Amino acid sequence: MGKSSDSFDEKPKEVVQEKYVAISTKEVDTAAQLVAGTDDSYDPEEALRVRRKIDFHILPLMCILYWIQFMDKTTLGSAAILGIREATHLTTNQYNRLGTIFYLSYLAFEFPQNLCLQRFPVGKWMSFNITVWGIALSCHAACKNFAGLFVVRLILGMCEGSITAGFLIVSSMFYTRKEQTLRVGYWFLMNGTAQIISGFISFGVLHIKTKGFEPWQWLMIVTGILTFLTALAFWLMFPDSPTNAWFLTPKERAIAVWRIKVNQTGVENKHFKKEQMIEALLDPKTWLFALFSALDNVPNSLTNQRQIIVSSFGFTPLQTTLLGCVDGVVEIVTIWTGVSIAAHLPNSRAYVSVIYMIPNVLGVFLVNLLPWTNQIGLLFSVWLSGVGTTGFVLMLSWLSSVTAGHTKRVTVNAIMLSAYCIGNSAGPFMWQAKYKPRNHIPWIIIGICDVSCMAILLVLRYILWRENKRRDTEPADTTYDDVYIERVSSSGEVERVKVTKEFLDLTDIQNRDFRYVL
């Protein structure tokens, strides 16, 4: 944070004689230029109306895109029982590598994607990525071997890196911390919806009889078309920020910004700050969230294995396809109830997450110990193993709520999602042919990861609770109480406007008034 400036682009310097600190507009949050010098009082009813307007315009689009992206990346699992492995002559190891390359590509491009999300308009950048990914998805239908599928899966992973990161940024721009918990849950539970819709699409294409064009190819074409339509909708209708949202009036934009003042995280800053990146790298909680993300997503390799596992219990391809819809119902119900409880019980994110991960561990025990002839029991064990997804959803909203400073948020998101990729990349390697049909080793690894994640969440909560207590004992910090930006008024004169601490683009460590939600 600089101290004063004679021009907007020079390094700020303190103007001692005037007893104030003037800073460049580049230093502050974009929201500061919109609301600096304005009255922060507003009618709660009007604020509620603005929030409803925001929900109406952006939440459906976010939910649709998250449904599309999950359905697209799991088409490989759906296509596995529609004939893709036989048609492209895939071995078990090659099939597993296709799951790995998706996440290795995601990993390689995650930090560049986050930098682009900071530099370019968020909505437009995501639209571009959705378009490229729709092309790659459709091209699956033309693949004849492992090499072709390898390339298109690599492109899918490269593009998907913009979606979750972009949604985390957008959620923190438009919603308060409590609202973020629910909204992140709403768009993430669309993963479950995707499993249901994907199951019905797979069921439908299974009945398409065309010479020279197999059901799995029709699956890729249908999902590709849906992706193109989503890209078009995002380009035309998705806002980049509350400061320029097309569906809000100038007054409503100001209210939208003042509403999230309570977060003390601001809206965004388009200028990369090296010192915030360094702080993110040195912050212990960054790496605890990353470790949780990595371990929690090793079991996510079940995404591409679930239908193969269910089929191995003795169900037909048709039955397996329809039973896959139940996985989606389980995910929808558990995520919805989990985020609702966490949103209504203050500081309960870690506890709720741990409780919802207990069924995962129970599922691991049952699938390992039940007799192989107990077809229904084994099926329910697999369904139980999907309940703990709620923990990852709550972690996403928690991470966004306890990280301030736009460059720091971008860096932390990149690290967390990179760890997510590492976990997802490692997972497929444990599903080896020699462990079939019981797959005891993969299931044991999944159980160990689940228990470790529960412990990490409790440690994180303790660290943040202790830091809040320490800040409560500190004297009031007045460092940023008298900070101004200089801007040119409509009359052409340079005016000095005070900026509140919440819109100075301070990090959670710089701002001693910041308190971590638990």
Side-chain angles (χ1 to χ4, degrees), residues 282-322:
L282 298 177
D283 192 339
K285 73 175 184 295
T286 300
W287 300 105
L288 282 171
F289 275 115
L291 181 60
F292 173 88
S293 183
L295 292 176
D296 191 62
N297 281 285
V298 170
N300 201 38
S301 56
L302 276 168
T303 300
N304 286 329
Q305 298 291 335
R306 200 176 297 271
Q307 291 188 314
I308 297 174
I309 291 170
V310 171
S311 179
S312 73
F313 295 158
F315 294 100
T316 66
L318 182 60
Q319 291 172 328
T320 301
T321 298
L322 293 177

Short mmCIF file of all heavy atoms in Angstrom, two decimals, residues 282-322:
data_model
loop_
_atom_site.label_atom_id
_atom_site.label_comp_id
_atom_site.label_asym_id
_atom_site.label_seq_id
_atom_site.Cartn_x
_atom_site.Cartn_y
_atom_site.Cartn_z
N LEU A 282 2.98 -17.22 2.12
CA LEU A 282 3.51 -17.38 3.47
C LEU A 282 2.43 -17.62 4.52
O LEU A 282 2.75 -17.86 5.69
CB LEU A 282 4.32 -16.12 3.85
CG LEU A 282 5.55 -15.83 2.99
CD1 LEU A 282 6.22 -14.53 3.43
CD2 LEU A 282 6.55 -16.99 3.05
N ASP A 283 1.18 -17.54 4.12
CA ASP A 283 0.07 -17.69 5.06
C ASP A 283 -0.20 -19.18 5.29
O ASP A 283 -0.54 -19.91 4.37
CB ASP A 283 -1.18 -17.02 4.48
CG ASP A 283 -2.30 -16.88 5.50
OD1 ASP A 283 -2.27 -17.63 6.50
OD2 ASP A 283 -3.19 -16.05 5.29
N PRO A 284 -0.07 -19.69 6.54
CA PRO A 284 -0.26 -21.12 6.82
C PRO A 284 -1.62 -21.65 6.40
O PRO A 284 -1.73 -22.80 5.94
CB PRO A 284 -0.08 -21.22 8.35
CG PRO A 284 0.75 -20.03 8.71
CD PRO A 284 0.33 -18.94 7.75
N LYS A 285 -2.66 -20.82 6.54
CA LYS A 285 -3.99 -21.34 6.22
C LYS A 285 -4.15 -21.63 4.72
O LYS A 285 -4.95 -22.49 4.33
CB LYS A 285 -5.09 -20.39 6.70
CG LYS A 285 -5.28 -19.11 5.94
CD LYS A 285 -6.49 -18.34 6.48
CE LYS A 285 -6.77 -17.07 5.67
NZ LYS A 285 -5.70 -16.08 5.78
N THR A 286 -3.37 -20.93 3.89
CA THR A 286 -3.39 -21.22 2.45
C THR A 286 -3.06 -22.68 2.19
O THR A 286 -3.73 -23.38 1.43
CB THR A 286 -2.38 -20.33 1.70
OG1 THR A 286 -2.70 -18.96 1.90
CG2 THR A 286 -2.36 -20.64 0.21
N TRP A 287 -2.04 -23.16 2.87
CA TRP A 287 -1.55 -24.52 2.61
C TRP A 287 -2.39 -25.57 3.31
O TRP A 287 -2.47 -26.72 2.84
CB TRP A 287 -0.08 -24.60 3.02
CG TRP A 287 0.72 -23.62 2.23
CD1 TRP A 287 1.24 -22.43 2.64
CD2 TRP A 287 1.02 -23.72 0.83
NE1 TRP A 287 1.85 -21.78 1.60
CE2 TRP A 287 1.74 -22.54 0.48
CE3 TRP A 287 0.76 -24.66 -0.16
CZ2 TRP A 287 2.20 -22.30 -0.81
CZ3 TRP A 287 1.21 -24.44 -1.46
CH2 TRP A 287 1.92 -23.26 -1.76
N LEU A 288 -3.05 -25.20 4.42
CA LEU A 288 -3.97 -26.15 5.04
C LEU A 288 -5.21 -26.35 4.16
O LEU A 288 -5.68 -27.48 3.99
CB LEU A 288 -4.38 -25.64 6.43
CG LEU A 288 -3.34 -25.84 7.54
CD1 LEU A 288 -3.75 -25.11 8.81
CD2 LEU A 288 -3.14 -27.33 7.82
N PHE A 289 -5.72 -25.25 3.60
CA PHE A 289 -6.84 -25.38 2.66
C PHE A 289 -6.41 -26.19 1.44
O PHE A 289 -7.18 -27.00 0.91
CB PHE A 289 -7.33 -24.00 2.22
CG PHE A 289 -8.33 -23.37 3.16
CD1 PHE A 289 -8.01 -22.21 3.84
CD2 PHE A 289 -9.57 -23.93 3.35
CE1 PHE A 289 -8.92 -21.62 4.72
CE2 PHE A 289 -10.49 -23.35 4.22
CZ PHE A 289 -10.16 -22.19 4.91
N ALA A 290 -5.18 -25.97 0.98
CA ALA A 290 -4.68 -26.71 -0.19
C ALA A 290 -4.54 -28.19 0.11
O ALA A 290 -4.91 -29.05 -0.72
CB ALA A 290 -3.34 -26.13 -0.64
N LEU A 291 -4.03 -28.51 1.31
CA LEU A 291 -3.87 -29.92 1.69
C LEU A 291 -5.23 -30.60 1.77
O LEU A 291 -5.40 -31.74 1.31
CB LEU A 291 -3.15 -30.01 3.04
CG LEU A 291 -2.89 -31.42 3.57
CD1 LEU A 291 -2.04 -32.22 2.60
CD2 LEU A 291 -2.23 -31.36 4.95
N PHE A 292 -6.21 -29.91 2.36
CA PHE A 292 -7.57 -30.46 2.41
C PHE A 292 -8.09 -30.70 0.99
O PHE A 292 -8.66 -31.76 0.71
CB PHE A 292 -8.51 -29.48 3.14
CG PHE A 292 -9.95 -29.90 3.09
CD1 PHE A 292 -10.48 -30.74 4.05
CD2 PHE A 292 -10.78 -29.47 2.05
CE1 PHE A 292 -11.81 -31.15 4.00
CE2 PHE A 292 -12.11 -29.87 1.99
CZ PHE A 292 -12.63 -30.71 2.96
N SER A 293 -7.89 -29.72 0.11
CA SER A 293 -8.39 -29.83 -1.26
C SER A 293 -7.78 -31.02 -1.98
O SER A 293 -8.47 -31.75 -2.70
CB SER A 293 -8.09 -28.54 -2.03
OG SER A 293 -8.62 -28.58 -3.32
N ALA A 294 -6.48 -31.23 -1.78
CA ALA A 294 -5.80 -32.35 -2.45
C ALA A 294 -6.31 -33.70 -1.94
O ALA A 294 -6.69 -34.58 -2.73
CB ALA A 294 -4.29 -32.25 -2.24
N LEU A 295 -6.34 -33.86 -0.62
CA LEU A 295 -6.75 -35.13 -0.04
C LEU A 295 -8.23 -35.41 -0.29
O LEU A 295 -8.63 -36.56 -0.53
CB LEU A 295 -6.46 -35.15 1.46
CG LEU A 295 -4.98 -35.15 1.86
CD1 LEU A 295 -4.84 -35.06 3.37
CD2 LEU A 295 -4.27 -36.39 1.33
N ASP A 296 -9.06 -34.37 -0.24
CA ASP A 296 -10.49 -34.56 -0.42
C ASP A 296 -10.85 -34.97 -1.84
O ASP A 296 -11.92 -35.54 -2.07
CB ASP A 296 -11.23 -33.27 -0.05
CG ASP A 296 -12.74 -33.46 0.03
OD1 ASP A 296 -13.18 -34.26 0.89
OD2 ASP A 296 -13.48 -32.84 -0.76
N ASN A 297 -9.96 -34.68 -2.78
CA ASN A 297 -10.27 -34.97 -4.18
C ASN A 297 -9.60 -36.21 -4.73
O ASN A 297 -9.82 -36.57 -5.89
CB ASN A 297 -9.95 -33.75 -5.04
CG ASN A 297 -11.04 -32.70 -4.94
OD1 ASN A 297 -12.11 -32.84 -5.51
ND2 ASN A 297 -10.77 -31.64 -4.18
N VAL A 298 -8.81 -36.89 -3.91
CA VAL A 298 -8.34 -38.22 -4.31
C VAL A 298 -9.56 -39.15 -4.47
O VAL A 298 -9.69 -39.87 -5.47
CB VAL A 298 -7.33 -38.78 -3.30
CG1 VAL A 298 -7.05 -40.26 -3.59
CG2 VAL A 298 -6.03 -37.98 -3.35
N PRO A 299 -10.52 -39.12 -3.51
CA PRO A 299 -11.74 -39.95 -3.69
C PRO A 299 -12.61 -39.50 -4.86
O PRO A 299 -13.49 -40.26 -5.28
CB PRO A 299 -12.48 -39.75 -2.35
CG PRO A 299 -11.43 -39.34 -1.38
CD PRO A 299 -10.47 -38.53 -2.17
N ASN A 300 -12.39 -38.29 -5.37
CA ASN A 300 -13.21 -37.81 -6.48
C ASN A 300 -12.98 -38.61 -7.76
O ASN A 300 -13.73 -38.48 -8.72
CB ASN A 300 -12.93 -36.33 -6.74
CG ASN A 300 -14.06 -35.65 -7.49
OD1 ASN A 300 -15.23 -35.93 -7.26
ND2 ASN A 300 -13.71 -34.77 -8.40
N SER A 301 -11.94 -39.45 -7.76
CA SER A 301 -11.71 -40.33 -8.91
C SER A 301 -12.87 -41.30 -9.09
O SER A 301 -13.02 -41.92 -10.15
CB SER A 301 -10.40 -41.10 -8.74
OG SER A 301 -10.41 -41.84 -7.52
N LEU A 302 -13.72 -41.40 -8.07
CA LEU A 302 -14.92 -42.22 -8.18
C LEU A 302 -15.85 -41.71 -9.28
O LEU A 302 -16.70 -42.45 -9.78
CB LEU A 302 -15.68 -42.22 -6.84
CG LEU A 302 -15.22 -43.23 -5.78
CD1 LEU A 302 -15.86 -42.90 -4.44
CD2 LEU A 302 -15.55 -44.64 -6.20
N THR A 303 -15.70 -40.43 -9.64
CA THR A 303 -16.56 -39.83 -10.66
C THR A 303 -16.56 -40.66 -11.95
O THR A 303 -17.61 -40.94 -12.53
CB THR A 303 -16.11 -38.39 -10.98
OG1 THR A 303 -16.18 -37.62 -9.80
CG2 THR A 303 -17.00 -37.77 -12.05
N ASN A 304 -15.36 -41.03 -12.40
CA ASN A 304 -15.25 -41.80 -13.63
C ASN A 304 -15.31 -43.31 -13.39
O ASN A 304 -15.33 -44.10 -14.34
CB ASN A 304 -13.95 -41.46 -14.36
CG ASN A 304 -14.01 -40.10 -15.03
OD1 ASN A 304 -15.07 -39.65 -15.45
ND2 ASN A 304 -12.87 -39.42 -15.11
N GLN A 305 -15.29 -43.73 -12.11
CA GLN A 305 -15.28 -45.16 -11.79
C GLN A 305 -16.62 -45.67 -11.29
O GLN A 305 -16.89 -46.87 -11.32
CB GLN A 305 -14.22 -45.44 -10.71
CG GLN A 305 -12.80 -45.10 -11.10
CD GLN A 305 -12.23 -46.03 -12.16
OE1 GLN A 305 -12.67 -47.17 -12.30
NE2 GLN A 305 -11.25 -45.55 -12.91
N ARG A 306 -17.48 -44.74 -10.83
CA ARG A 306 -18.69 -45.14 -10.13
C ARG A 306 -19.57 -46.09 -10.95
O ARG A 306 -20.04 -47.12 -10.46
CB ARG A 306 -19.48 -43.90 -9.72
CG ARG A 306 -20.49 -44.15 -8.61
CD ARG A 306 -21.16 -42.85 -8.20
NE ARG A 306 -20.23 -41.89 -7.65
CZ ARG A 306 -19.93 -41.83 -6.36
NH1 ARG A 306 -20.46 -42.69 -5.52
NH2 ARG A 306 -19.08 -40.91 -5.92
N GLN A 307 -19.80 -45.73 -12.22
CA GLN A 307 -20.68 -46.57 -13.03
C GLN A 307 -20.04 -47.92 -13.35
O GLN A 307 -20.73 -48.94 -13.46
CB GLN A 307 -21.08 -45.84 -14.30
CG GLN A 307 -22.03 -44.66 -14.01
CD GLN A 307 -22.59 -44.04 -15.27
OE1 GLN A 307 -21.87 -43.79 -16.23
NE2 GLN A 307 -23.88 -43.78 -15.28
N ILE A 308 -18.72 -47.93 -13.50
CA ILE A 308 -18.01 -49.20 -13.73
C ILE A 308 -18.14 -50.08 -12.48
O ILE A 308 -18.36 -51.30 -12.58
CB ILE A 308 -16.53 -48.93 -14.06
CG1 ILE A 308 -16.41 -48.15 -15.37
CG2 ILE A 308 -15.75 -50.24 -14.15
CD1 ILE A 308 -15.00 -47.71 -15.71
N ILE A 309 -18.01 -49.46 -11.29
CA ILE A 309 -18.11 -50.21 -10.03
C ILE A 309 -19.53 -50.77 -9.86
O ILE A 309 -19.71 -51.95 -9.53
CB ILE A 309 -17.75 -49.30 -8.84
CG1 ILE A 309 -16.26 -48.96 -8.87
CG2 ILE A 309 -18.10 -49.97 -7.51
CD1 ILE A 309 -15.84 -47.89 -7.88
N VAL A 310 -20.53 -49.93 -10.09
CA VAL A 310 -21.93 -50.39 -9.95
C VAL A 310 -22.22 -51.51 -10.94
O VAL A 310 -22.88 -52.50 -10.61
CB VAL A 310 -22.90 -49.20 -10.15
CG1 VAL A 310 -24.34 -49.68 -10.23
CG2 VAL A 310 -22.74 -48.19 -9.02
N SER A 311 -21.70 -51.38 -12.15
CA SER A 311 -21.89 -52.42 -13.15
C SER A 311 -21.26 -53.74 -12.70
O SER A 311 -21.80 -54.82 -12.94
CB SER A 311 -21.29 -51.97 -14.48
OG SER A 311 -21.43 -52.97 -15.46
N SER A 312 -20.12 -53.63 -11.98
CA SER A 312 -19.44 -54.85 -11.51
C SER A 312 -20.22 -55.58 -10.43
O SER A 312 -19.97 -56.76 -10.16
CB SER A 312 -18.04 -54.49 -10.98
OG SER A 312 -18.12 -53.82 -9.73
N PHE A 313 -21.19 -54.90 -9.80
CA PHE A 313 -22.03 -55.56 -8.79
C PHE A 313 -23.04 -56.50 -9.43
O PHE A 313 -23.73 -57.25 -8.74
CB PHE A 313 -22.79 -54.51 -7.96
CG PHE A 313 -21.92 -53.62 -7.12
CD1 PHE A 313 -22.38 -52.39 -6.68
CD2 PHE A 313 -20.64 -54.01 -6.74
CE1 PHE A 313 -21.60 -51.56 -5.90
CE2 PHE A 313 -19.83 -53.19 -5.95
CZ PHE A 313 -20.31 -51.96 -5.54
N GLY A 314 -23.15 -56.44 -10.78
CA GLY A 314 -24.06 -57.34 -11.48
C GLY A 314 -25.24 -56.66 -12.14
O GLY A 314 -26.13 -57.33 -12.67
N PHE A 315 -25.24 -55.32 -12.17
CA PHE A 315 -26.32 -54.59 -12.82
C PHE A 315 -26.06 -54.48 -14.32
O PHE A 315 -24.90 -54.42 -14.77
CB PHE A 315 -26.46 -53.18 -12.22
CG PHE A 315 -26.90 -53.18 -10.78
CD1 PHE A 315 -25.98 -53.00 -9.75
CD2 PHE A 315 -28.23 -53.38 -10.44
CE1 PHE A 315 -26.37 -53.01 -8.42
CE2 PHE A 315 -28.64 -53.38 -9.11
CZ PHE A 315 -27.70 -53.19 -8.10
N THR A 316 -27.12 -54.43 -15.12
CA THR A 316 -26.99 -54.30 -16.57
C THR A 316 -26.61 -52.86 -16.92
O THR A 316 -26.78 -51.94 -16.09
CB THR A 316 -28.31 -54.64 -17.27
OG1 THR A 316 -29.29 -53.64 -16.91
CG2 THR A 316 -28.81 -56.01 -16.85
N PRO A 317 -26.12 -52.60 -18.14
CA PRO A 317 -25.81 -51.21 -18.55
C PRO A 317 -26.99 -50.27 -18.40
O PRO A 317 -26.82 -49.12 -17.98
CB PRO A 317 -25.40 -51.37 -20.02
CG PRO A 317 -24.82 -52.75 -20.09
CD PRO A 317 -25.66 -53.57 -19.15
N LEU A 318 -28.19 -50.74 -18.73
CA LEU A 318 -29.38 -49.90 -18.60
C LEU A 318 -29.66 -49.57 -17.14
O LEU A 318 -29.93 -48.43 -16.78
CB LEU A 318 -30.58 -50.60 -19.24
CG LEU A 318 -31.91 -49.83 -19.22
CD1 LEU A 318 -31.76 -48.51 -19.96
CD2 LEU A 318 -33.02 -50.67 -19.84
N GLN A 319 -29.58 -50.58 -16.27
CA GLN A 319 -29.80 -50.36 -14.84
C GLN A 319 -28.73 -49.44 -14.25
O GLN A 319 -29.03 -48.55 -13.45
CB GLN A 319 -29.78 -51.71 -14.10
CG GLN A 319 -30.97 -52.60 -14.39
CD GLN A 319 -30.81 -54.00 -13.79
OE1 GLN A 319 -29.69 -54.51 -13.69
NE2 GLN A 319 -31.93 -54.61 -13.41
N THR A 320 -27.49 -49.65 -14.65
CA THR A 320 -26.39 -48.83 -14.15
C THR A 320 -26.58 -47.37 -14.53
O THR A 320 -26.34 -46.46 -13.72
CB THR A 320 -25.06 -49.34 -14.72
OG1 THR A 320 -24.87 -50.71 -14.34
CG2 THR A 320 -23.89 -48.52 -14.21
N THR A 321 -27.02 -47.12 -15.76
CA THR A 321 -27.24 -45.76 -16.23
C THR A 321 -28.31 -45.06 -15.40
O THR A 321 -28.12 -43.91 -14.97
CB THR A 321 -27.68 -45.78 -17.71
OG1 THR A 321 -26.62 -46.35 -18.50
CG2 THR A 321 -27.96 -44.37 -18.20
N LEU A 322 -29.39 -45.74 -15.13
CA LEU A 322 -30.48 -45.13 -14.36
C LEU A 322 -30.12 -45.00 -12.88
O LEU A 322 -30.49 -44.02 -12.23
CB LEU A 322 -31.76 -45.96 -14.52
CG LEU A 322 -32.37 -45.95 -15.94
CD1 LEU A 322 -33.59 -46.86 -16.01
CD2 LEU A 322 -32.74 -44.52 -16.34
#
